[in-house]
Amino acid sequence: MRAWLLPEGADGFDKLYMDELPDPEPGPGQILIAPTAWSLNYRDFAVAAGKYFGGPITEPSIPLSDGAGKVVGVGEGVKSVRVGDEVQSTFFQGWHNGPPKFVPALGDGKAPGMLAEKVVLDEHGVVPIARSLTMEQAACLPCAGVTAWNALFEGGNPLKAGDRVLVLGTGGVSLIALKLAKAFGAEVIATSSSDEKLEQVKELGADHVINYKTTPEWGAHVRDNFGGANKIVEVGGTGTLEQSMTACAPLAEIALIGVLADGTPPEPRGLMFTGSSIRGIFVGSARMASDLNTFVDKHHLTFPVGKTFAFEEADKAYAFGWGPESFGKTVISLG
């Protein structure tokens, strides 16, 4: 089979290379998948740069956590999955339900990744894809989709119809959260530094948009013009957290997801004035992935794919996904 790999000690996605490897075989309790679509996440760039949890890659490793395809083989004792099933990977192979578990995650340089023509996973490390989605759209959900679902609907303060949701930027998590929140009956405010991208966001259903370059105090803008946000999908991290805290409506929740923007951690006393809270999000469980797909089918949702590259162009997909033209999810597909 063909597979893309990152070498030992990789310090950037420019080190990605394609090779031929022996076809894997599923063992007891395992399944063999033939992926036909994959998607990139911000963490994939961190892994390639040697800056993810655990440090640099210590041996050649297949990258990516997110893929979708068909089951082409099953190992001894497998009962929940059959050959021919269309499935997507789960980010954490060992977190099936319940409280967060920090267990190996696909494509982190330590656990196997998805960017290959055949992949062996645990039989409980996949979920059926949503029927309303193409394989390319389904491949966008294992990390970004489940993260967005967790941010909106899990924890002690789940989204309610009529709530106001603030999403930051136009990456995969934010755009998927936008679609989910609108389907649930929420009002959505979106930010970007690009007026062109904000027009695209409005076409996806955003009720209000803010250019954070021309409105640098966007937190106060959300608070003063819209009464604040009840749920904030915070993908920036310390560089944007102070503005997100300012944007809180009373008893709001900030779903802290990303580390995209550098900065000094803000003084937390601002949360005291609104009684708001911050909840850390690290993707989610297989149960969350199943609940997400049930919701997707119930509402007949589809998700925008920013740009698609052929399997042979995975290196070009990385380069595009890292660049300023990226919008939503960058996808790799066998076509």
Side-chain angles (χ1 to χ4, degrees), residues 85-171:
D85 287 353
E86 294 184 334
V87 297
Q88 66 195 51
S89 57
T90 61
F91 185 86
F92 290 114
Q93 291 288 286
W95 182 11
H96 306 305
N97 198 2
K101 290 183 178 180
F102 192 69
V103 291
L106 294 177
D108 65 355
K110 309 295 186 295
M114 291 295 295
L115 194 52
E117 291 181 311
K118 293 182 180 179
V119 178
V120 168
L121 297 177
D122 184 87
E123 71 167 306
H124 302 296
V126 297
V127 295
I129 70 170
R131 295 183 301 276
S132 60
L133 301 182
T134 65
M135 203 67 81
E136 286 75 17
Q137 291 170 340
C140 296
L141 298 188
C143 181
V146 175
T147 297
W149 176 268
N150 190 353
L152 295 176
F153 299 109
E154 301 292 332
N157 189 18
L159 187 69
K160 301 181 293 296
D163 276 354
R164 195 171 295 113
V165 176
L166 174 62
V167 299
L168 307 186
T170 56

Side-chain angles (χ1 to χ4, degrees), residues 21 30 70 76 78 101 104 109 123 145 184 204-205 228 232 265 278 285 303 307 316 328 331:
L21 302 177
Q30 294 181 324
K70 285 189 176 183
E76 181 182 352
V78 171
K101 290 183 178 180
E123 71 167 306
F184 195 70
L204 293 175
I232 300 172
I278 300 174
S285 66
F303 298 104
K307 191 168 183 178
K316 295 180 181 177
V331 168

Side-chain angles (χ1 to χ4, degrees), residues 8 42 47 53 64 70 77 114 118 157 203 217 266 290 302-303 313 319:
E8 177 184 353
Y42 177 80
V47 170
F53 300 108
L64 301 195
K70 285 189 176 183
M114 291 295 295
K118 293 182 180 179
N157 189 18
E203 291 176 3
E217 297 299 320
S290 293
T302 59
F303 298 104
E313 300 175 315

Side-chain angles (χ1 to χ4, degrees), residues 59-70:
E59 61 183 29
S61 176
I62 299 172
L64 301 195
S65 60
D66 289 18
K70 285 189 176 183

Side-chain angles (χ1 to χ4, degrees), residues 117-286:
E117 291 181 311
K118 293 182 180 179
V119 178
V120 168
L121 297 177
D122 184 87
E123 71 167 306
H124 302 296
V126 297
V127 295
I129 70 170
R131 295 183 301 276
S132 60
L133 301 182
T134 65
M135 203 67 81
E136 286 75 17
Q137 291 170 340
C140 296
L141 298 188
C143 181
V146 175
T147 297
W149 176 268
N150 190 353
L152 295 176
F153 299 109
E154 301 292 332
N157 189 18
L159 187 69
K160 301 181 293 296
D163 276 354
R164 195 171 295 113
V165 176
L166 174 62
V167 299
L168 307 186
T170 56
V173 172
S174 295
L175 294 189
I176 293 172
L178 161 62
K179 296 279 286 187
L180 296 175
K182 288 299 298 179
F184 195 70
E187 180 182 352
V188 178
I189 306 165
T191 72
S192 174
S193 62
S194 165
D195 288 336
E196 180 181 355
K197 290 184 178 182
L198 288 174
E199 287 300 317
Q200 293 176 273
V201 169
K202 285 195 287 186
E203 291 176 3
L204 293 175
D207 298 283
H208 315 284
V209 296
I210 303 169
N211 186 315
Y212 62 79
K213 289 292 187 183
T214 56
T215 308
E217 297 299 320
W218 48 267
H221 183 87
V222 170
R223 179 196 62 201
D224 297 341
N225 289 274
F226 307 114
N230 307 103
K231 183 80 71 171
I232 300 172
V233 181
E234 171 53 85
V235 298
T238 55
T240 52
L241 187 54
E242 184 172 3
Q243 290 296 321
S244 290
M245 290 166 56
T246 303
C248 285
L251 304 179
E253 181 183 84
I254 298 172
L256 185 61
I257 296 163
V259 292
L260 300 179
D262 294 330
T264 303
E267 166 58 54
R269 283 183 296 180
L271 295 174
M272 297 169 60
F273 303 126
T274 58
S276 299
S277 61
I278 300 174
R279 181 167 65 95
I281 305 291
F282 194 8
V283 196
S285 66

